[in-house]
Amino acid sequence: MDVADEIAPTTFGDSGNGPPVAGGRIVSVRGSVIDMEFSPDSLPSIHNLVHTGEHGEVIVEILSHLDPSTVRGIALTQTQGLSRGMAVRDSGNPLMTPVGPEIRSRMFDVFGNTIDGREKPAQLEWRSVHNAPPPLARRSSRSEIFETGIKVIDVLVPLERGGKAGLFGGAGVGKTVLLTEMIHNMVGHQEGISIFCGIGERCREGQELYMEMEEAGVLPDMVMVFGQMNEPPGCRFRVGHAAMTMAEYFRDQEHRDVLLLMDNIFRFIQAGMEVSGLMGQMPSRLGYQPTMGTELSGLEERIANTDAGAITSIQAVYVPADDFTDPAAVHTFSHLSSSIVLSRKRASEGLFPAVDPLQSSSKMATPAIVGTRHYAIAQEIRRTLAQYSELKDIIAMLGLEQLSSEDRAIVARARRLERFLTQPFFTTGHFSGIRGATVSLEDSLDGCERILNDEFRNYPESSLYMIGTVDDANRKASPSR
């Protein structure tokens, strides 16, 4: 099938119902940046899609008006074969994405074309990807905990229903694995819809996720949207907005809770940086676009808990060179209710998930929200781990024997806590050979409390490593008395 035939019904916006199309011509082509000339009375609006190429297969989004008759746009598809003087057609519509019950269990690209190899749904409703955040009057002020079944997160960095959580880490520390495990744990236990948005990620990850979700039987309540890393920057920049539009439909029209997973929000910022550079804007600090804060806010503020339902978002955030002062990480931090920081040092020690409990934080970890007992246990865990961190230098220089008996007890407690907060994952079971475990918040708190009370001081540390509930330690090893 010709490319134009596949794209035309979903992106041209010229089905007879929309506004009449207007024509123009290409003035210049510089990579993905295309300048076009129109008559002043038919100048396309900002964000409109225009089509050019031999068969209208090249799709361009208008981003600026240069003068009364010239516009500049960024191509959302490859631009091979374009030349000056080629005809351009204004669709009269912005980028649209499909919404409705029919999109469940399907995989889409940024244009709403299905990419899962199955037949395209017959009846689809289309909506613009450019929408305003819900007004403050519609937002809910209730604070509720969103359980994940992962001990270290539920105890120390509780997530918020209708909030935004970020998984921060450099390359190879386990962001995607942790995100996939959260999908596995939560999709099967909640009655809402899950939407996975892959921004600038590898096609291998999309294929693996699709197969895992199909095998787990949770595809009927899941939608996937991908803008792969080989796509042009304009495409990667808009795929997050397309996923947000789908999530808003399920929240506002079907009144369902939505779990929106984004991998990776840094690629969204990076795509915006590429678009900004191509458009000739003056770069800001470290080469980032001057409009980064505005662009990120425009996407993040649409994620909200309203009177109709909640969109809970979990976002992987790549941290360049493990530098948490990078502008991309700093701007993302400000939008989140929970920040889960992954540590390369903990990953190298085999403590998975490699969550750093002292750097990670959550606005939900207050007595008024999580309760007095949960708050007290979490604070005692942090205090014990912080004291152990301070004692590590002394241990390295003088040895454990030189510590006081009280400090040795703190070290023993902290090392057992560190190992208990590891957890076998379902998504890595075929690599590790250890069956995955989901642990309730109550069981997690009970285990931590018993370790803090020195109930397991005579158990070897290895008996608490990679287990589910604390009672599994009895099966791994008998206490040495």
Side-chain angles (χ1 to χ4, degrees):
M1 180 184 292
D2 190 84
V3 176
D5 294 334
E6 177 67 26
I7 296 179
T10 62
T11 58
F12 270 33
D14 186 23
S15 58
N17 300 322
V21 297
R25 66 182 183 86
I26 294 177
V27 176
S28 69
V29 180
R30 298 185 304 281
S32 294
V33 178
I34 302 173
D35 290 353
M36 294 153 285
E37 188 177 55
F38 289 81
S39 61
D41 58 345
S42 62
L43 205 66
S45 302
I46 298 291
H47 296 320
N48 268 20
L49 293 188
V50 299
H51 307 273
T52 185
E54 290 293 332
H55 306 285
E57 72 277 7
V58 179
I59 304 170
V60 183
E61 183 179 21
I62 304 300
L63 291 185
S64 67
H65 290 167
L66 302 181
D67 59 45
S69 61
T70 311
V71 297
R72 177 169 291 171
I74 193 87
L76 304 185
T77 56
Q78 302 296 337
T79 58
Q80 288 91 339
L82 293 190
S83 61
R84 293 175 62 186
M86 268 192 172
V88 180
R89 188 169 64 141
D90 178 16
S91 70
N93 292 320
L95 181 64
M96 311 284 276
T97 197
V99 296
E102 297 83 6
I103 69 172
R104 291 181 301 175
S105 81
R106 305 305 302 271
M107 187 186 288
F108 297 92
D109 65 10
V110 70
F111 301 110
N113 298 315
T114 54
I115 54 174
D116 52 12
R118 292 156 56 193
E119 189 176 341
K120 189 172 182 177
Q123 295 293 327
L124 286 175
E125 180 187 346
W126 294 81
R127 290 189 181 176
S128 168
V129 303
H130 305 283
N131 297 308
L136 286 175
R138 283 195 55 212
R139 300 198 180 211
S140 172
S141 57
R142 288 183 305 165
S143 294
E144 299 176 41
I145 295 297
F146 191 81
E147 282 193 39
T148 65
I150 298 171
K151 290 179 287 190
V152 66
I153 293 176
D154 288 343
V155 172
L156 296 174
V157 203
L159 306 188
E160 179 186 9
R161 176 182 175 270
K164 298 180 274 285
L167 304 177
F168 290 84
V173 294
K175 296 184 301 298
T176 301
V177 170
L178 190 53
L179 202 65
T180 309
E181 183 71 8
M182 287 184 180
I183 298 172
H184 183 282
N185 289 358
M186 289 185 281
V187 168
H189 299 99
Q190 62 163 358
E191 297 180 358
I193 291 287
S194 290
I195 297 178
F196 183 90
C197 177
I199 306 176
E201 292 300 297
R202 305 165 186 84
C203 60
R204 168 185 60 79
E205 293 173 344
Q207 171 71 8
E208 289 174 357
L209 179 67
Y210 185 86
M211 300 301 290
E212 285 173 9
M213 297 302 104
E214 189 174 42
E215 189 176 326
V218 296
L219 266 186
D221 286 316
M222 194 166 182
V223 185
M224 300 184 197
V225 192
F226 283 94
Q228 293 168 202
M229 58 169 52
N230 65 313
E231 305 280 358
C235 174
R236 287 181 271 121
F237 187 57
R238 289 299 179 212
V239 71
H241 297 90
M244 258 320 307
T245 303
M246 294 177 180
E248 287 167 339
Y249 166 82
F250 288 112
R251 179 192 66 192
D252 299 335
Q253 269 63 50
E254 295 199 0
H255 304 292
R256 301 180 71 173
D257 284 355
V258 181
L259 177 62
L260 175 63
L261 304 120
M262 291 189 173
D263 189 8
N264 183 305
I265 204 69
F266 172 77
R267 304 293 178 200
F268 167 77
I269 295 173
Q270 191 177 47
M273 177 171 63
E274 293 179 49
V275 169
S276 174
L278 289 167
M279 294 294 290
Q281 294 179 349
M282 183 70 72
S284 182
R285 184 179 163 216
L286 296 185
Y288 285 102
Q289 65 272 38
T291 53
M292 176 170 62
T294 305
E295 291 167 358
L296 188 61
S297 299
L299 181 67
E300 295 281 8
E301 288 303 303
R302 292 169 64 181
I303 302 169
N305 187 359
T306 70
D307 49 9
I311 299 176
T312 303
S313 175
I314 302 173
Q315 308 166 8
V317 186
Y318 169 69
V319 180
D322 292 343
D323 177 15
F324 285 91
T325 64
D326 187 271
V330 171
H331 277 77
T332 308
F333 265 123
S334 63
H335 291 280
L336 304 174
S337 54
S338 301
S339 301
I340 302 167
V341 178
L342 300 179
S343 161
R344 193 174 301 281
K345 185 174 184 300
R346 292 178 69 84
S348 68
E349 294 170 356
L351 300 173
F352 294 105
V355 175
D356 188 327
L358 299 179
Q359 286 197 62
S360 303
S361 63
S362 171
K363 296 174 183 174
M364 305 296 288
T366 63
I369 297 174
V370 299
T372 307
R373 175 174 175 256
H374 184 164
Y375 178 75
I377 292 172
Q379 288 300 95
E380 185 59 30
I381 292 171
R382 290 181 189 274
R383 190 179 301 112
T384 304
L385 294 177
Q387 288 174 312
Y388 174 45
S389 180
E390 292 172 1
L391 291 169
K392 280 182 178 177
D393 288 341
I394 299 174
I395 296 170
M397 289 187 291
L398 304 176
L400 189 64
E401 298 77 15
Q402 300 302 313
L403 297 179
S404 67
S405 58
E406 185 181 339
D407 285 345
R408 282 202 298 272
I410 289 171
V411 170
R413 223 172 283 141
R415 289 179 63 84
R416 281 165 176 76
L417 279 171
E418 282 186 335
R419 278 144 187 80
F420 177 63
L421 292 176
T422 62
Q423 189 166 336
F425 282 175
F426 290 96
T427 51
T428 58
H430 53 290
F431 295 119
S432 64
I434 306 173
R435 180 178 171 79
T438 304
V439 185
S440 69
L441 175 59
E442 187 55 42
D443 285 340
S444 300
L445 290 173
D446 178 61
C448 292
E449 191 172 39
R450 290 167 68 183
I451 292 170
L452 288 169
N453 291 333
D454 287 336
E455 189 176 321
F456 293 87
R457 65 180 179 275
N458 293 324
Y459 283 63
E461 294 172 0
S462 59
S463 66
L464 293 163
Y465 179 69
M466 283 295 171
I467 61 173
T469 64
V470 75
D471 293 328
D472 292 340
N474 294 318
R475 304 187 191 99
K476 284 193 74 171
S478 299
S480 53
R481 300 189 186 281

